[in-house]
Amino acid sequence: MPVIAIVSSKGGVGKTTVTANLGGFLALAGYRVLMVDADIQPTLSSYYPFEHRAASGLYDVVTTGAIAQAISHTTLPNLDIIISDDPEGRLENWILHTPDGRIRLRRALADIDYDFVLIDTQGAIGPLQDLGVLAGDLLLSPIPPEILSAREFARGTLSMLERLRPMRLLGAPVGHLYGLCYRMDRTVDARLVANTLRQSPFAETHGGISILDTVVPATVAYREAASAQVPIHVWEPRRRGGTAPAALETMAALVRELLPQVDTAWARNPP
């Protein structure tokens, strides 16, 4: 059961959108998927409608380890979620003052039966972000192809990984990180930043990071799909015009590259 944490030390880079659409794609491909909203701003918790909303969420999962009763079911087949239920921010303080707080989510997820788990993490460095990162077997970081985001990726996200590497001694090794160029437009600056990211050796991570070939274009379809509360590949299965690939093609390419064990052949002829 791969656990994928979608991470960044910067907010507003598209983590929630990537999490929701990757979860929707895998679920409608027939895989059982659990999403975890580990952000104090519970955007993922309201991305899809509920078929059943559990009485508890992430707070109880982390503080008590009780996970089964905290799982809500969305209206999408095979797609469940643990909602963010801590608007006052109590959980971050609890994690900070509990010796094993940062690895509690990793332990709780070991007791469930899903094909994939996707964790939407907080876009700010701190105990709550550490909780999500340390629960992941692999990490996915959306990077808008503009110079400030690229600098923040190089500075903040990579320093976070180095800071957390000693946690392997507690049985929580930091997973390999994959960078995803997100909201790629057709400007020269965007292409330059994307190419620079791909060519960088990231030597300081000792091979712990890769930049994916797949890019997510900057199109209005992603906002439209979120408003309609449907996965992007359902909203845009075919190209609507322009040179950008259809969202279905983009999501299939991302899954093939990130999760090569997943069969995406069905995506060539969607229902």
Side-chain angles (χ1 to χ4, degrees), residues 1-4 114-118 137-138 259 261:
M1 178 192 70
V3 179
I4 305 168
Y114 283 88
D115 297 309
F116 295 99
V117 176
L118 307 177
D137 298 313
L138 60 91
L259 302 167
Q261 72 272 32

Side-chain angles (χ1 to χ4, degrees), residues 226-256:
S227 296
Q229 295 186 293
V230 298
I232 183 61
H233 75 283
V234 174
W235 184 258
E236 191 185 63
R238 294 171 184 83
R239 185 181 300 173
R240 295 184 178 182
T243 59
L248 175 62
E249 298 174 45
T250 298
M251 292 306 302
L254 172 59
V255 169
R256 283 194 296 269

Side-chain angles (χ1 to χ4, degrees), residues 20-33 76-79 115-116 231 233-234 248 251-252 255-256 259 261-271:
N21 285 308
L22 183 57
F25 186 94
L26 292 170
L28 294 184
Y31 296 95
R32 297 184 65 241
V33 180
L76 267 67
N78 304 315
L79 186 62
D115 297 309
F116 295 99
H233 75 283
V234 174
L248 175 62
M251 292 306 302
V255 169
R256 283 194 296 269
L259 302 167
Q261 72 272 32
V262 172
D263 182 10
T264 62
W266 64 272
R268 299 191 191 101
N269 295 290

Side-chain angles (χ1 to χ4, degrees), residues 48 55 80 88 95 103 131 136 144 149 162-163 167 198 210-211 239 258 267:
Y48 295 121
D80 295 340
E88 294 86 15
I95 294 169
I103 60 175
L131 178 84
S149 293
E162 289 304 306
R163 176 175 56 82
M167 296 298 290
R198 290 198 185 94
S210 307
I211 302 298
R239 185 181 300 173
L258 186 68

